Amino acid sequence: MGEPTPTMLTAISMSAIATNGVVPAGGSYYMISRSLGPEFGGAVGLCFYLGTTFAGAMYILGTIEILLAYLFPAMAIFKAEDASGEAAAMLNNMRVYGTCVLTCMATVVFVGVKYVNKFALVFLGCVILSILAIYAGVIKSAFDPPNFPICLLGNRTLSRHGFDVCAKLAWEGNETVTTQLWGLFCSSRFLNATCDEYFTQNNVTEIQGIPGAASGLIKENLWSSYLSKGVIVERRGMSSMDLADGAPVDMDLPYVFSDMTSYFTLLVGIYFPSVTGIMAGSNRSGDLRDAQKSIPTGTILAIATTSAVYISSVILFGACIEGVVLRDKFGEAVNGNLVVGTLAWPSPWVIVIGSFFSTCGAGLQSLTGAPRLLQAISRDGIVPFLQVFGHGKANGEPTWALLLTACICEIGILIASLDEVAPILSMFFLMCYMFVNLACAVQTLLRTPNWRPRFRYYHWTLSFLGMSLCLALMFICSWYYALVAMLIAGLIYKYIEYRGAEKEWGDGIRGLSLSAARYALLRLEEGPPHTKNWRPQLLVLVRVDQDQNVVHPQLLSLTSQLKAGKGLTIVGSVLEGTFLDNHPQAQRAEESIRRLMEAEKVKGFCQVVISSNLRDGVSHLIQSGGLGGLQHNTVLVGWPRNWRQKEDHQTWRNFIELVRETTAGHLALLVTKNLSMFPGNPERFSEGSIDVWWIVHDGGMLMLLPFLLRHHKVWRKCKMRIFTVAQMDDNSIQMKKDLTTFLYHLRITAEVEVVEMHESDISAYTYEKTLVMEQRSQILKQMHLTKNEREREIQSITDESRGSIRRKNPANTRLRLNVPEETAGDSEEKPEEEVQLIHDQSAPSCPSSSPSPGEEPEGEGEADPEKVHLTWTKDKSVAEKNKGPSPVSSEGIKDFFSMKPEWENLNQSNVRRMHTAVRLNEVIVKKSRDAKLVLLNMPGPPRNRNGDENYMEFLEVLTEHLDRVMLVRGGGREVITIYS
């Protein structure tokens, strides 16, 4: 008898929740939804509603069974031709009469709940009289057992329907004649007839079915005796002559057969609905005068009382009634007589009438509570298509909900079989109880300030135990029904979540989310993410107009395509002015951005900053965006289109300062040019390519972006092409082969093409420097080698690089050999430097080196850590060539590889004649004119701000005649690894 345990634990949890505030209509649904959120509340509430509705059907079926089996058997419409058809005929009668009783009960509920309450007192009185009659009959049976004979053939129980005398032969005068029982087992009524073998070998005996409480029968009935379907009900402890050959039993013989296979879990599922009435009071919480006082007291006392009655009844029945009678489901052994009624005193009719009115009252309570539960769910509006059932009569009676409840209840009546309906009820009720316990446990563990229940006798361990027992009972009763119930609840949950339940009730799930977020943020503070976990965490800078609408929504479309709902996305904007004056505009801007984010399916956060000027506002966003370890590592911004216009000069100055600040903060930067031509989310590219111009190795950012974009359906059919630049004396075939192998290890599919250009047109970095040296150094970092091991590995890289360079360009061997040596030498002073060669900041200019010809000295406080790999001016390139193989110092070599573009020496009229920009642009346009997107390395800005405008002009020339361009500048921390 474990069922009272979870119900009592549930009642304790429910009492705590009910006394933590006002409980209006809805009862258990209200408690769960306000504690666990609208999704859980709606899912569990609807399941509990279905369970309550089917419970009403079960109670009505019980009423009809008592009516036809005991009160008025002659009312049966369908008659059975033989014993095997009795069950089917009873089910058909229950369907017909059940529909009629349902109609009458629904009419009573429709008239008004006050009439149901009046009937409830009558029903309660009948139930109390029935219970008292049973206890009185048990006491009487101890010294005066009732006469209740049953007939046994051997140890097999016989059905009384076909005979009257429990004997094979009878005496009529001086003559021995056969009985009706003889005729059922033999071919004729004559003594020489052929009879059933078991009938011939065993005697017929008659025993008392109710020997009384003093008989000691409880010792036999204490142990289980489960039967399979179609097995004869036999009395244990009686001897019989069994058939030797194990011949099958003729089902037409008058035995009492088991109509179903019984086992513990099945009986639990059938019995459990009898203890599911604990929610009857809470379902009508809206009609209670003081729900906070009535629900705990009434529920706990009701459970204690009913549990005592149930347990004592089971024990007393086992002590008074024979086991074969208890297992005779339809009372065939006693010719349909009510066994419990026979035990009752002073008359069996007390039990019959009490049971009839009890089931009627339970059915009315279900039909009263279920519509109110549905009405509460409908009025909350979390399930849109159910809102019509929230309406009712002027006094609040749920008319439409009652109509739906009656229709669903009719489905249960048409099923008719109580054994089929009961497991469904158990699943829905147990699920409701489980979530009530979960709600109490969550609220207790979170210790929210609002959790202050007046009911003090609760603990989260009790709630957790009750939840565990309910879950276990679900699978004990019927694992497949449990899975079906969970599937139904899950579908309802996802539907409510999909429709977007716009309710905020301060539920515990939100509190759990906050606790989990806090824990996760603290874990992120423990250290930086591993390179394998690196992905762009975007800070998207957008501009809003005077109406606080986003000027370029395509930027958010690109964000959605790049992120695909993964990682962190912060959409930021800046408003000029003061916080006191512009706070309403900031709120409107946030709402506008959130609407656009929702439309573009960008999952992230919005942050609008008010500052005295745009420059400072953007700086504040870059510095303060994110929280703790959850911060952005990449900034996405649009190219200032009208930067050449005089009235818009501050825009490009702000842009260059943005580039400088992202570099100082080690943040990656993505700049989109021709943003209006970028595709929206509804668009699809059926063909085309994403071209990556890998001029400077930046740790893999250029490789990663196309890979992420191609996960989105807009770019899915675009192929990826990678262009790398080689000098005329490089081994282009070997470069292509090595780069293809490198991409293979990165698990990236792309076409590789090597573009040969003169040394004056491309980066000063050699092929070994950008491909071999940097990738091997990154591998060293991932292998976590010691300092000595790294030095030995660096030396092997150096030797390999020397040999490769000698083979390619013997004339310049002396110049180039010093490059890896300098790198290796630096590693002695800075052990981590050799693993950062892939970063732009890894080789700062030597402070002692003198400025190159034509280059102005560095400004104070502006020691730039960057190394721009391209030599933009032709004069410098020619000067470096003319130096020939003369020996140079290590400082000179380092200065050669950290040359800065001489933006400040270029005047406005000569910008478009810059050899490098024009030459690179010609090659890029020739190869990638038809590409859907072109990704380029973005060089750093000049140290001296006098060359800012020339820097903008250079970028403009570099990207001319290209439809969609994304300039990419690595932050020095992003690396794509070849390891899984």
Side-chain angles (χ1 to χ4, degrees):
M1 300 305 298
E3 289 81 359
T5 302
T7 54
M8 179 61 76
L9 294 175
T10 303
I12 293 174
S13 299
M14 183 175 65
S15 300
I17 300 175
T19 58
N20 191 51
V22 179
V23 182
S28 56
Y29 157 73
Y30 183 88
M31 300 177 194
I32 295 174
S33 62
R34 269 56 177 182
S35 299
L36 298 180
E39 294 86 1
F40 279 107
V44 179
L46 284 176
C47 288
F48 185 63
Y49 162 75
L50 293 175
T52 306
T53 304
F54 277 107
M58 186 189 69
Y59 295 137
I60 292 174
L61 291 175
T63 302
I64 303 305
E65 185 175 5
I66 295 173
L67 180 70
L68 296 179
Y70 305 111
L71 291 177
F72 304 103
M75 292 179 59
I77 300 174
F78 300 93
K79 307 290 184 180
E81 297 180 358
D82 51 26
S84 61
E86 290 181 357
M90 174 61 77
L91 293 179
N92 290 329
N93 288 320
M94 292 171 71
R95 292 185 179 100
V96 175
Y97 284 107
T99 303
C100 298
V101 172
L102 173 63
T103 304
C104 296
M105 288 186 176
T107 303
V108 173
V109 176
F110 175 78
V111 171
V113 70
K114 61 180 181 180
Y115 296 101
V116 177
N117 294 335
K118 292 179 180 179
F119 281 119
L121 295 176
V122 178
F123 298 149
L124 178 61
C126 294
V127 172
I128 293 175
L129 288 177
S130 300
I131 294 172
L132 294 177
I134 291 175
Y135 287 133
V138 170
I139 295 173
K140 179 177 178 295
S141 70
F143 52 85
D144 185 17
N147 183 28
F148 198 79
I150 57 174
C151 188
L152 301 176
L153 176 61
N155 63 350
R156 297 179 177 179
T157 310
L158 296 177
S159 174
R160 284 281 192 173
H161 290 302
F163 64 96
D164 52 356
V165 179
C166 183
K168 296 181 180 180
L169 303 175
W171 293 90
E172 292 184 0
N174 295 327
E175 184 179 1
T176 301
V177 296
T178 59
T179 61
Q180 293 178 340
L181 182 61
W182 179 283
L184 295 176
F185 283 91
C186 300
S187 59
S188 68
R189 299 293 295 272
F190 300 103
L191 292 175
N192 59 353
T194 302
C195 297
D196 180 77
E197 183 178 357
Y198 187 86
F199 179 79
T200 303
Q201 296 179 3
N202 290 275
N203 295 325
V204 177
T205 56
E206 189 174 67
I207 63 173
Q208 285 297 324
I210 306 179
S215 63
L217 194 61
I218 191 171
K219 296 179 180 179
E220 296 181 12
N221 292 333
L222 189 61
W223 310 107
S224 61
S225 179
Y226 301 116
L227 302 176
S228 300
K229 184 177 181 179
V231 174
I232 299 174
V233 178
E234 298 177 347
R235 187 178 189 272
R236 291 183 298 183
M238 287 191 66
S239 60
S240 65
M241 299 295 294
D242 294 328
L243 301 180
D245 56 357
V249 179
D250 187 357
M251 299 296 292
D252 292 330
L253 295 178
Y255 292 121
V256 176
F257 293 96
S258 173
D259 69 321
M260 62 184 300
T261 300
S262 60
Y263 43 90
F264 174 76
T265 56
L266 175 70
L267 298 181
V268 169
I270 294 175
Y271 171 75
F272 188 80
S274 63
V275 295
T276 56
I278 65 171
M279 295 291 186
S282 64
N283 288 345
R284 297 173 59 184
S285 55
D287 300 324
L288 299 176
R289 182 178 302 172
D290 187 359
Q292 295 188 42
K293 181 179 179 180
S294 301
I295 290 178
T297 305
T299 303
I300 293 177
L301 289 179
I303 292 176
T305 304
T306 54
S307 297
V309 171
Y310 290 149
I311 294 174
S312 61
S313 298
V314 170
I315 295 174
L316 293 177
F317 289 165
C320 298
I321 305 173
E322 276 285 350
V324 292
V325 178
L326 293 174
R327 290 189 292 273
D328 182 11
K329 179 178 176 181
F330 295 103
E332 298 176 58
V334 293
N335 201 20
N337 292 327
L338 182 63
V339 180
V340 180
T342 305
L343 182 63
W345 183 86
S347 172
W349 290 103
V350 177
I351 294 295
V352 174
I353 296 175
S355 300
F356 178 80
F357 283 110
S358 174
T359 52
C360 281
L364 278 174
Q365 293 295 332
S366 297
L367 290 178
T368 303
R372 282 162 171 74
L373 180 59
L374 179 62
Q375 186 183 47
I377 298 173
S378 303
R379 286 181 173 177
D380 277 342
I382 60 175
V383 183
F385 66 87
L386 291 179
Q387 291 186 10
V388 65
F389 299 105
H391 305 291
K393 294 191 292 187
N395 59 356
E397 290 292 323
T399 307
W400 292 104
L402 175 62
L403 179 62
L404 179 62
T405 302
C407 294
I408 298 176
C409 191
E410 177 65 18
I411 296 175
I413 290 175
L414 294 177
I415 296 175
S417 176
L418 289 174
D419 299 330
E420 298 296 332
V421 176
I424 301 175
L425 304 181
S426 300
M427 296 304 106
F428 291 141
F429 281 117
L430 281 169
M431 186 178 295
C432 179
Y433 301 163
M434 180 176 69
F435 278 94
V436 169
N437 285 293
L438 176 62
C440 182
V442 168
Q443 295 282 20
T444 305
L445 290 174
L446 287 177
R447 298 179 181 178
T448 55
N450 189 50
W451 179 246
R452 303 186 301 274
R454 290 190 176 93
F455 184 82
R456 298 296 182 184
Y457 308 102
Y458 71 94
H459 195 267
W460 71 266
T461 55
L462 297 178
S463 300
F464 185 79
L465 177 62
M467 180 187 69
S468 303
L469 289 175
C470 290
L471 182 62
L473 278 175
M474 288 180 66
F475 286 92
I476 287 175
C477 294
S478 177
W479 64 268
Y480 47 88
Y481 274 127
L483 293 179
V484 170
M486 289 183 174
L487 177 62
I488 294 174
L491 292 176
I492 298 173
Y493 178 94
K494 295 304 294 184
Y495 173 78
I496 297 175
E497 185 181 51
Y498 171 76
R499 294 291 299 181
E502 297 179 358
K503 299 292 180 181
E504 177 52 54
W505 293 320
D507 53 86
I509 295 298
R510 188 173 180 85
L512 279 178
S513 300
L514 292 174
S515 299
R518 173 182 171 274
Y519 174 78
L521 287 173
L522 292 176
R523 287 293 303 273
L524 289 175
E525 287 290 300
E526 295 177 1
H530 193 272
T531 55
K532 290 191 292 186
N533 298 325
W534 193 95
R535 68 179 305 123
Q537 314 290 2
L538 292 181
L539 170 62
V540 186
L541 299 178
V542 299
R543 187 161 55 92
V544 295
D545 56 20
Q546 294 180 350
D547 297 327
Q548 281 72 51
N549 295 321
V550 178
V551 177
H552 297 294
Q554 296 92 340
L555 200 59
L556 289 183
S557 300
L558 178 62
T559 302
S560 174
Q561 298 159 18
L562 187 62
K563 298 294 290 183
K566 302 296 189 300
L568 173 69
T569 301
I570 302 175
V571 181
S573 184
V574 179
L575 297 181
E576 288 188 282
T578 62
F579 182 78
L580 293 178
D581 297 334
N582 296 88
H583 181 60
Q585 289 85 339
Q587 288 183 322
R588 289 197 298 270
E590 284 189 5
E591 293 176 1
S592 175
I593 293 175
R594 286 196 182 97
R595 286 195 301 269
L596 184 58
M597 291 174 65
E598 184 178 356
E600 297 293 343
K601 298 181 180 179
V602 175
K603 296 181 180 180
F605 309 96
C606 173
Q607 187 173 359
V608 177
V609 173
I610 302 175
S611 179
S612 58
N613 58 78
L614 294 177
R615 165 75 181 80
D616 292 340
V618 172
S619 179
H620 296 159
L621 279 175
I622 293 176
Q623 295 178 57
S624 62
L627 178 63
L630 191 65
Q631 292 185 342
H632 57 274
N633 55 29
T634 306
V635 178
L636 175 61
V637 66
W639 173 262
R641 292 185 304 169
N642 303 321
W643 67 274
R644 287 195 179 99
Q645 298 179 6
K646 292 184 178 181
E647 62 273 9
D648 208 21
H649 69 282
Q650 191 59 39
T651 303
W652 62 265
R653 294 188 184 276
N654 292 341
F655 173 78
I656 296 180
E657 291 303 315
L658 169 65
V659 178
R660 289 193 172 99
E661 290 183 353
T662 55
T663 302
H666 300 286
L667 302 176
L669 178 63
L670 308 179
V671 180
T672 56
K673 197 164 182 289
N674 299 331
L675 189 57
S676 59
M677 301 183 67
F678 275 72
N681 287 330
E683 300 180 44
R684 304 289 183 274
F685 286 135
S686 58
E687 58 181 1
S689 64
I690 301 176
D691 288 0
V692 177
W693 282 85
W694 200 30
I695 302 173
V696 178
H697 188 87
D698 60 349
M701 188 74 170
L702 282 171
M703 304 289 190
L704 186 60
L705 292 176
F707 173 78
L708 296 176
L709 284 174
R710 292 177 70 237
H711 277 73
H712 196 275
K713 50 192 173 183
V714 174
W715 307 91
R716 187 167 297 160
K717 295 185 179 180
C718 294
K719 60 183 179 179
M720 180 177 171
R721 299 192 302 178
I722 297 179
F723 296 90
T724 187
V725 179
Q727 299 180 21
M728 302 301 289
D729 55 352
D730 283 334
N731 189 345
S732 301
I733 298 177
Q734 184 63 31
M735 287 181 65
K736 181 175 181 180
K737 180 179 178 181
D738 292 347
L739 185 54
T740 303
T741 304
F742 175 61
L743 292 175
Y744 172 79
H745 288 301
L746 291 178
R747 288 90 64 196
I748 293 178
T749 303
E751 296 180 7
V752 178
E753 184 173 343
V754 178
V755 179
E756 294 183 345
M757 298 181 66
H758 291 284
E759 186 177 0
S760 61
D761 299 333
I762 61 173
S763 168
Y765 270 112
T766 62
Y767 164 58
E768 287 82 9
K769 183 75 172 179
T770 57
L771 186 61
V772 178
M773 192 65 180
E774 296 164 355
Q775 293 306 318
R776 291 286 295 275
S777 299
Q778 178 60 22
I779 294 174
L780 293 180
K781 181 179 179 180
Q782 295 171 349
M783 292 170 62
H784 302 289
L785 300 180
T786 64
K787 177 180 178 181
N788 294 333
E789 291 172 336
R790 285 198 300 266
E791 290 175 353
R792 288 196 298 269
E793 185 66 19
I794 287 293
Q795 185 61 39
S796 66
I797 297 172
T798 302
D799 296 340
E800 181 180 344
S801 299
R802 286 172 176 173
S804 176
I805 296 173
R806 286 195 187 101
R807 290 192 298 272
K808 295 174 189 173
N809 193 358
N812 291 334
T813 299
R814 189 169 184 180
L815 169 65
R816 301 200 179 199
L817 282 180
N818 285 324
V819 177
E821 289 175 357
E822 176 66 16
T823 306
D826 289 347
S827 67
E828 297 178 359
E829 298 178 3
K830 299 178 181 179
E832 296 297 329
E833 185 168 341
E834 72 273 5
V835 301
Q836 297 177 351
L837 290 173
I838 56 174
H839 302 163
D840 284 351
Q841 295 86 351
S842 59
S845 299
C846 182
S848 61
S849 61
S850 59
S852 300
E855 181 177 353
E856 294 183 9
E858 296 178 8
E860 293 182 4
E862 295 183 2
D864 190 60
E866 298 185 33
K867 173 171 71 255
V868 179
H869 300 164
L870 295 179
T871 52
W872 309 120
T873 60
K874 183 175 180 180
D875 294 336
K876 173 168 284 194
S877 178
V878 173
E880 294 294 335
K881 284 185 176 181
N882 292 334
K883 290 181 181 180
S886 60
V888 292
S889 65
S890 59
E891 290 81 3
I893 293 294
K894 194 169 186 179
D895 183 62
F896 175 80
F897 283 112
S898 61
M899 287 186 297
K900 298 300 296 182
E902 300 177 358
W903 310 112
E904 57 271 24
N905 291 339
L906 297 175
N907 55 50
Q908 187 67 27
S909 62
N910 294 328
V911 169
R912 287 196 174 274
R913 292 193 298 271
M914 286 187 296
H915 174 75
T916 302
V918 174
R919 186 71 183 96
L920 279 175
N921 178 258
E922 289 176 356
V923 176
I924 294 172
V925 171
K926 179 180 178 181
K927 298 288 186 179
S928 303
R929 179 183 293 275
D930 297 328
K932 302 302 181 183
L933 178 64
V934 177
L935 284 86
L936 286 167
N937 290 114
M938 181 179 180
R943 296 193 186 97
N944 195 314
R945 287 177 169 79
N946 294 332
D948 285 355
E949 189 171 358
N950 295 331
Y951 172 70
M952 294 293 295
E953 189 68 36
F954 173 83
L955 294 179
E956 189 73 54
V957 173
L958 185 64
T959 56
E960 276 185 328
H961 311 300
L962 296 174
D963 291 340
R964 304 176 191 88
V965 181
M966 184 181 293
L967 296 171
V968 180
R969 181 163 179 79
R973 294 176 180 173
E974 63 283 347
V975 177
I976 53 176
T977 175
I978 64 175
Y979 298 112
S980 59

